[in-house]
Amino acid sequence: MRNTIFVKITLVVISLITAVPAQADSNHICPAQLQKEVEKVAQSPKLKAARVGVYVQTNELNPKILANLDGDRYFIPASNAKLFVTAIALKTLGKNYQFATRLMSHDLPNAKGELEGGLWVIGSGDPSFNSKTNLKSLVSQLKKKGVNRINGGIWTLTSRRGAEVAGSWELSDLQHYYAAIASPFTINENALNWTVSPDTVGKPAIFTWDNPELAKDWRIQNQSITVSADSAYTLTVVRPYGQKLLIITGQIPEKSEPELGGVAIPNPEANFLDLLRQELTAQGIEISTDIATNPSKNLPPTKDLAINLSPPISQLIITTNKDSNNLYAELLLRALGDRLHEVSPDDSVRGGMIAINKYLQSMNIAVNQVALADGSGLSRHNLTTPKVIVQLLQTVANDRNFRQSLAIANVDGTLTNRFKNTSAQSLLQAKTGTLSGAIVLSGYANPQNYREVIFSIIINNSNLPSKELQKYVDDIALLLTRLEPCE
């Protein structure tokens, strides 16, 4: 997604940058007082019609429950669903697991450098695969194998099965980059990013693709208008589902900040093959125009020609959690499903869900309190409890790779601009989650004068803006960083 950054921060660095304002030195909270203080926030008048769930416990072998407000009840976890996928992928697939993208054939190139029987692309759903470096590397390897011409077409093969988009995702989400299709032939995160800026008054807004070369076959209908600086902002950018078309309407004030966005590509596999053909041509490899059916299409290719390996899962989950990247989470879920292909051979998503349940059972976590519909949390059909989230976090609390994947308050990821000048900055590692009417924060808090605590805070069924809901969640999280023994 936009501005995706791999960030690694060790606990040593965290301790060095810790800065707690003077206000935190007063107003400490005794552990026995926490339940009552949480209830005060949850009973705020504006939350009267909403549902608030909180579960807090100490991080130790025999944890002490410090707060439990409807912790055993179902809530929509939003992007906290990623915690299940990343933690369990790390444990089940292993920290060194890598996605592989291969180019293969039935035979090596002949003396003329011609590849008979076609070129095969073997995709596994590498979420990090891009055209700038990875695709160039694959084709460069092909060239070094002596391939000058491909006869017989270009074909695709994958072990992935099942839906590439969750059936419970809302139609309005499907056009956006954050709902990109989870294809085994993913490239450039299956999305195109754009910017809309104001022009002078009376002129249409200025639309630009971040990478025009990748958007050559897209159409733009720009019906927008730039208006005076004191006018209302009503700009909208819509992609009719399944079409390579953007429609820009409404008005943008002339001194407005540029609008940044992205659009999901409707057919990632076709897009991957188009970019592959372009790169083959750019590196001087001819492609036969003969599109007759490949006689060996039903036979698996046996000759390896090129391979690209993704970064290991220990790095991929950093992007997944810190930046809350939906596509990464969905492809990790399907990788889990592939590991259980013998259980669910025709549905990688279902297999992924089975893998999650198996892990939860092995940790004695109640499976009947987790009902996931996707891996990213974009589905409103996901359900779990604050208590189960905390129990999951306890099982991976000592896993350095998992801990590094969580955003740090006022430091990075989705928490970069949260908890500034508060007692929580740098002392809280957590996963955010936001949907309309729902907001979540779960993770670890390290009070300066108390042991580490694990928490999950969820608000559902609210009509308040997300920014306003966030304030209540943050108020509860701040209570945790002020804990201190009172014996």
Side-chain angles (χ1 to χ4, degrees):
M1 304 307 171
R2 304 209 64 163
N3 301 322
T4 297
I5 302 173
F6 284 105
V7 182
K8 290 186 177 180
I9 300 180
T10 64
L11 294 177
V12 173
V13 175
I14 294 171
S15 65
L16 290 174
I17 63 176
T18 298
V20 180
Q23 66 181 30
D25 294 333
S26 60
N27 201 23
H28 293 305
I29 295 174
C30 300
Q33 297 174 319
L34 184 62
Q35 177 77 27
K36 189 172 292 185
E37 293 298 320
V38 168
E39 289 174 353
K40 284 182 184 178
V41 178
Q43 291 166 3
S44 300
K46 287 189 176 182
L47 294 180
K48 186 175 181 180
R51 296 183 63 233
V52 181
V54 180
Y55 197 87
V56 184
Q57 69 174 43
T58 55
N59 181 18
E60 53 189 335
L61 187 60
N62 296 305
K64 179 181 180 181
I65 300 171
L66 304 182
N68 183 0
L69 185 63
D70 281 345
D72 291 310
R73 292 182 176 272
Y74 271 143
F75 288 84
I76 298 172
S79 281
N80 269 212
K82 294 182 178 72
L83 293 172
F84 291 91
V85 173
T86 54
I88 296 170
L90 191 61
K91 294 297 184 182
T92 303
L93 301 176
K95 65 179 183 180
N96 296 318
Y97 176 92
Q98 294 173 284
F99 291 86
T101 306
R102 291 180 167 87
L103 297 181
M104 299 183 69
S105 64
H106 292 287
D107 295 296
L108 295 175
N110 60 28
K112 296 180 180 179
E114 295 180 338
L115 199 62
E116 301 293 346
L119 177 69
W120 291 74
V121 184
I122 317 299
S124 65
D126 175 2
S128 66
F129 193 90
N130 66 75
S131 58
K132 188 174 182 180
T133 56
N134 306 130
L135 188 63
K136 286 182 182 297
S137 173
L138 275 182
V139 175
S140 178
Q141 292 176 55
L142 196 65
K143 190 76 174 175
K144 289 178 181 178
K145 286 283 188 178
V147 178
N148 297 319
R149 179 181 173 85
I150 298 169
N151 297 321
I154 300 177
W155 307 89
T156 59
L157 184 65
T158 182
S159 61
R160 295 290 146 89
R161 299 291 183 268
E164 297 179 353
V165 173
S168 54
W169 286 3
E170 294 192 356
L171 184 62
S172 59
D173 287 328
L174 295 178
Q175 64 172 308
H176 298 290
Y177 71 89
Y178 58 76
I181 296 171
S183 168
F185 303 97
T186 286
I187 187 168
N188 302 324
E189 297 191 21
N190 297 338
L192 295 169
N193 296 323
W194 48 258
T195 302
V196 179
S197 306
D199 202 332
T200 56
V201 175
K203 292 186 177 181
I206 301 170
F207 176 88
T208 56
W209 292 107
D210 286 13
N211 194 332
E213 285 294 311
L214 301 181
K216 288 180 178 178
D217 55 347
W218 281 71
R219 294 180 294 123
I220 306 299
Q221 290 183 8
N222 192 348
Q223 303 166 11
S224 64
I225 185 83
T226 305
V227 294
S228 60
D230 57 352
S231 299
Y233 186 106
T234 63
L235 188 80
T236 60
V237 181
V238 174
R239 188 205 87 184
Y241 184 65
Q243 298 184 43
K244 291 187 175 182
L245 168 68
L246 286 186
I247 303 173
I248 309 168
T249 58
Q251 59 186 40
I252 181 171
E254 63 175 336
K255 294 183 180 179
S256 298
E257 290 295 319
E259 175 86 4
L260 305 179
V263 61
I265 291 171
N267 191 334
E269 183 174 333
N271 180 61
F272 189 107
L273 292 176
D274 285 344
L275 293 175
L276 174 58
R277 291 187 186 96
Q278 291 175 30
E279 187 59 35
L280 288 166
T281 300
Q283 294 197 33
I285 298 177
E286 296 181 19
I287 306 169
S288 171
T289 57
D290 181 8
I291 57 174
T293 301
N294 188 331
S296 56
K297 186 175 186 298
N298 294 323
L299 300 175
T302 57
K303 306 297 183 182
D304 284 308
L305 299 174
I307 185 171
N308 180 85
L309 297 175
S310 74
I313 275 187
S314 58
Q315 292 186 36
L316 295 178
I317 65 170
I318 294 176
T319 299
T320 311
N321 284 334
K322 279 189 184 290
D323 299 322
S324 203
N325 190 304
N326 291 339
L327 180 64
Y328 274 57
E330 294 295 340
L331 290 170
L332 284 172
L333 175 66
R334 286 156 177 79
L336 273 172
D338 268 12
R339 178 59 61 91
L340 289 178
H341 67 275
E342 71 279 1
V343 177
S344 186
D346 298 322
D347 192 338
S348 297
V349 176
R350 182 171 176 271
M353 299 301 184
I354 293 172
I356 288 173
N357 286 342
K358 281 180 173 289
Y359 179 83
L360 295 177
Q361 287 175 333
S362 71
M363 294 292 108
N364 295 317
I365 298 174
V367 174
N368 62 357
Q369 293 185 23
V370 182
L372 297 183
D374 68 7
S376 61
L378 189 57
S379 172
R380 274 74 172 175
H381 290 197
N382 289 315
L383 292 171
T384 191
T385 70
K387 180 179 179 180
V388 164
I389 292 175
V390 169
Q391 289 176 324
L392 173 75
L393 291 173
Q394 186 180 28
T395 70
V396 289
N398 295 323
D399 190 316
R400 180 173 174 270
N401 290 300
F402 180 79
R403 293 292 290 263
Q404 286 185 335
S405 77
L406 299 177
I408 303 171
N410 196 224
V411 173
D412 61 12
T414 54
L415 291 179
T416 299
N417 299 313
R418 283 175 71 173
F419 298 104
K420 186 176 183 179
N421 297 324
T422 71
S423 58
Q425 62 182 27
S426 304
L427 298 181
L428 187 149
Q429 288 179 291
K431 178 74 196 73
T432 58
T434 305
L435 289 172
S436 55
I439 192 162
V440 191
L441 188 71
S442 303
Y444 308 90
N446 283 277
Q448 285 203 323
N449 300 308
Y450 193 71
R451 68 195 67 179
E452 182 174 72
V453 297
I454 309 175
F455 67 92
S456 179
I457 307 165
I458 307 178
I459 302 177
N460 278 185
N461 299 354
S462 173
N463 61 355
L464 296 177
S466 295
K467 281 291 184 182
E468 192 169 350
L469 277 181
Q470 178 182 301
K471 178 184 179 299
Y472 294 107
V473 169
D474 291 359
D475 284 347
I476 294 174
L478 285 168
L479 296 173
L480 310 181
T481 61
R482 290 158 44 201
L483 286 168
E484 184 173 292
C486 296
E487 292 80 17

